[in-house]
Amino acid sequence: MAYQRKAGSKRTIWKINHPSNLFSDVEWEFFLKQRIIAVNGKKELERLSAMRNGDYFYLCHGNNKSRVNGGVKLIGRIIDDELEPCKSRNSWFQRHYEMVYPIDGVPLSGIFYDEEMKIYAPNHFGIVVDSTIYEISNDQSAEFEEYILEYLFGLEITDLKGLWTANTVSQSLTQPPPRIFPLNMIFHGVPGTGKTFLTAAYAVAICKNQKLAETPDKNEYNQLRADGRINFVTFHQNYGYEDFIEGIKPKIVNGNIFYEVASGVFKKFCENAAKNPSENFVFIIDEINRGNISKIFGELITLIEEDKREEISVTLPYSQKEFTVPKNVYIIGTMNTADRSIALIDTALRRRFDFIEMLPRPELLRENVDGVNLQRLLETLNTRIETFLDREHTIGHAYFMKCESLSDVAKVFINKIIPLLQEYFFEDYETIYKILGGKFINREPLDDEKYRYTINKDAFKDAESYKL
């Protein structure tokens, strides 16, 4: 007989245990990050299935003090309607939840239960009645409040409603936070304008739903990537739909080759975001213009539009499953305009993204580095490049940001600036000579008004050479 929910409960609360004898520390960490509870066994699965969207529970990792990551972890609230197979454990099933307490979203650490053994308490391990997953009855609610909620969390049952009011639940469980930034953005500009650097700052701000910081916190960025809320890919000529959305890929089992449908990186990212609708997720595509956009995005080029998010779905060609792009997924691309003009970008892509131009900012550079005025140097270089070519092939300030000595400036010029100019002007040394002047490049006359051009390495050691 299937498990029957306890009658008459106005607010159902459960105990969920991920016991220390069944879960490794790595698995504990994985399930916490994914906001998943998982069980196996017939009785446990019946109870997991009986949990409703909106039910509360408290989660413990056993009560073994010898395990560093053990003990009571959090209070959560179920956010899906039915259980699904656990992808990381065969024969196990899972449910998804939002964390209610602690309110900062960080699970508790080192909280253990030392009071009288109760069936709903962390120190009850299947004696007489299995309590891996247990529903608190109305008759037990007062005792549960005293022994568990107050003792472990400092809360009362009525506090749960205060933490999650009806409006908050509706907003948090089904809608992402109010948007501060556009859903789809592309930062475009010449090399060295800090496009990739800026994506990190935007990604952190979007995930935290706060204003943009001038300098991203690397630790925050790395943690958000580890948590799966930020992903970073680079497009190239061989990048395809199979890598991005889904495709058929070979798999070797016992020496035999099988072919299976495998999800691409963006599809996996969207599926994870859909399970956490109250949080923002950011997918970064570096060098977005280097990929074949139509080939990579396929039918998703329609789904990423703001008014199509979660409103329109498509049937994917390989898996034949319905798919839509969640509202809480932000897409940030970078584009080097020296490689390709915006005018040449796929029209469908241009229409769906906000384009933000990144210009060279000489004012960010130092005015005196061993006698070299970096601000004036960059301004002069870019003015001359625009005269001979165009503004989409100027030079960004980032090349010189870390220069603290004349030696640093020389290295940038030799290893970065001159190779860039050679690329821009297709080895046209006469034009490069005119841009840099006669100090860095020697020009020796040959017959028939031709010249031999050589780089004057000694000039890079003299601050006067940089006064173009």
Side-chain angles (χ1 to χ4, degrees):
M1 181 177 178
Y3 178 79
Q4 299 293 317
R5 288 171 60 97
K6 293 177 171 53
S9 177
K10 295 181 180 179
R11 184 181 294 108
T12 305
I13 305 175
W14 302 73
K15 169 196 173 182
I16 303 290
N17 184 30
H18 285 171
S20 57
N21 63 324
L22 294 180
F23 287 79
S24 67
D25 285 348
V26 173
E27 289 175 312
W28 272 344
E29 185 68 20
F30 172 79
F31 283 111
L32 283 176
K33 286 184 177 181
Q34 297 297 317
R35 299 289 193 265
I36 289 171
I37 53 175
V39 301
N40 73 339
K42 182 178 179 181
K43 292 181 179 179
E44 290 83 356
L45 291 177
E46 288 177 349
R47 295 176 184 179
L48 188 69
S49 180
M51 297 181 78
R52 292 173 180 161
N53 190 329
D55 279 1
Y56 293 92
F57 67 92
Y58 84 99
L59 175 67
C60 54
H61 288 174
N63 203 50
N64 184 352
K65 294 183 179 180
S66 66
R67 290 289 296 273
V68 176
N69 295 318
V72 178
K73 308 310 291 184
L74 56 89
I75 296 175
R77 186 179 175 109
I78 299 297
I79 62 170
D80 53 15
D81 294 312
E82 58 185 17
L83 73 170
E84 64 181 30
C86 185
K87 296 179 181 178
S88 61
R89 283 185 165 222
N90 292 331
S91 302
W92 285 60
F93 284 78
Q94 64 189 29
R95 298 291 296 269
H96 297 275
Y97 66 88
E98 280 285 321
M99 192 183 300
V100 176
Y101 185 90
I103 58 176
D104 63 0
V106 179
L108 298 170
S109 178
I111 306 297
F112 295 89
Y113 183 82
D114 295 320
E115 298 300 310
E116 180 182 350
M117 183 183 293
K118 303 287 183 181
I119 192 172
Y120 49 75
N123 61 354
H124 190 287
F125 297 114
I127 301 175
V128 182
V129 179
D130 176 45
S131 66
T132 298
I133 174 169
Y134 183 81
E135 182 183 4
I136 315 303
S137 68
N138 281 343
D139 293 339
Q140 296 169 321
S141 61
E143 193 178 61
F144 172 80
E145 183 176 57
E146 176 184 355
Y147 278 88
I148 302 300
L149 286 183
E150 292 183 356
Y151 179 76
L152 296 174
F153 303 102
L155 299 172
E156 297 177 354
I157 289 179
T158 55
D159 292 331
L160 298 180
K161 185 176 181 180
L163 289 171
W164 287 75
T165 63
N167 288 336
T168 302
V169 171
S170 175
Q171 172 75 10
S172 300
L173 296 183
T174 63
Q175 297 293 332
R179 284 199 292 111
I180 300 176
F181 305 99
L183 276 176
N184 305 319
M185 295 181 284
I186 290 180
F187 300 119
H188 65 98
V190 300
T193 48
K195 297 180 292 296
T196 304
F197 176 83
L198 191 62
T199 63
Y202 267 83
V204 171
I206 289 170
C207 286
K208 297 178 69 176
N209 202 43
Q210 64 183 25
K211 293 182 179 179
L212 184 68
E214 289 188 8
T215 302
D217 186 315
K218 286 188 177 180
N219 292 330
E220 281 188 318
Y221 177 80
N222 291 333
Q223 185 60 55
L224 288 165
R225 285 197 69 178
D227 292 342
R229 293 180 62 191
I230 297 175
N231 205 343
F232 185 102
V233 300
T234 301
F235 278 2
H236 51 79
Q237 292 178 346
N238 293 326
Y239 204 91
Y241 182 89
E242 292 78 10
D243 305 298
F244 199 59
I245 310 300
E246 68 172 16
I248 298 176
K249 296 186 178 180
K251 182 178 181 180
I252 300 177
V253 179
N254 297 326
N256 297 314
I257 298 178
F258 298 88
Y259 291 89
E260 61 181 7
V261 176
S263 296
V265 60
F266 185 71
K267 180 187 174 188
K268 290 178 182 178
F269 189 78
C270 289
E271 290 172 340
N272 186 34
K275 296 171 183 177
N276 300 275
S278 65
E279 295 179 335
N280 288 335
F281 288 68
V282 182
F283 196 90
I284 301 172
I285 305 172
D286 201 28
E287 305 284 0
I288 192 171
N289 55 309
R290 293 184 63 221
N292 185 327
I293 301 301
S294 298
K295 174 185 174 184
I296 296 172
F297 276 85
E299 63 274 6
L300 262 67
I301 198 68
T302 297
L303 301 187
I304 64 174
E305 286 189 64
E306 181 177 339
D307 60 347
K308 304 296 191 303
R309 302 288 187 99
E310 299 180 19
E311 298 294 332
I312 293 179
S313 63
V314 297
T315 301
L316 297 177
Y318 295 106
S319 64
Q320 292 297 301
K321 292 182 178 180
E322 291 293 307
F323 181 75
T324 187
V325 178
K327 295 179 180 178
N328 60 330
V329 170
Y330 288 71
I331 302 174
I332 300 178
T334 70
M335 174 183 162
N336 187 343
T337 52
D339 293 337
R340 190 179 184 188
S341 170
I342 291 179
L344 300 177
I345 290 293
D346 186 282
T347 303
L349 186 73
R350 277 190 285 153
R351 186 160 51 85
R352 288 167 171 83
F353 280 80
D354 285 26
F355 280 76
I356 302 172
E357 186 175 22
M358 302 287 294
L359 297 171
R361 299 182 61 188
E363 70 275 9
L364 297 180
L365 300 178
R366 296 170 62 178
E367 293 186 271
N368 188 353
V369 176
D370 290 344
V372 178
N373 186 328
L374 294 179
Q375 292 186 12
R376 187 178 302 161
L377 174 64
L378 184 61
E379 289 173 349
T380 303
L381 275 174
N382 283 339
T383 298
R384 293 181 181 178
I385 291 172
E386 282 193 60
T387 300
F388 286 101
L389 195 54
D390 55 51
R391 68 191 297 269
E392 291 185 344
H393 289 80
T394 50
I395 296 172
H397 53 276
Y399 287 113
F400 297 99
M401 288 293 289
K402 295 182 180 180
C403 290
E404 297 182 355
S405 66
L406 183 60
S407 175
D408 293 336
V409 178
K411 289 178 182 178
V412 169
F413 248 78
I414 294 171
N415 299 326
K416 301 291 184 181
I417 305 304
I418 289 191
L420 194 61
L421 293 176
Q422 289 170 334
E423 179 184 337
Y424 282 177
F425 296 98
F426 304 100
E427 305 289 337
D428 178 2
Y429 280 97
E430 176 62 24
T431 301
I432 297 174
Y433 173 82
K434 292 176 180 177
I435 290 174
L436 296 180
K439 296 178 181 177
F440 294 115
I441 295 181
N442 296 324
R443 186 174 69 167
E444 302 175 25
L446 299 174
D447 295 336
D448 301 326
E449 298 183 352
K450 294 182 179 179
Y451 298 90
R452 176 188 292 117
Y453 300 92
T454 58
I455 295 176
N456 181 8
K457 294 184 178 180
D458 291 333
F460 296 100
K461 303 174 185 179
D462 184 0
E464 292 294 317
S465 301
Y466 297 92
K467 296 179 181 179
L468 304 181

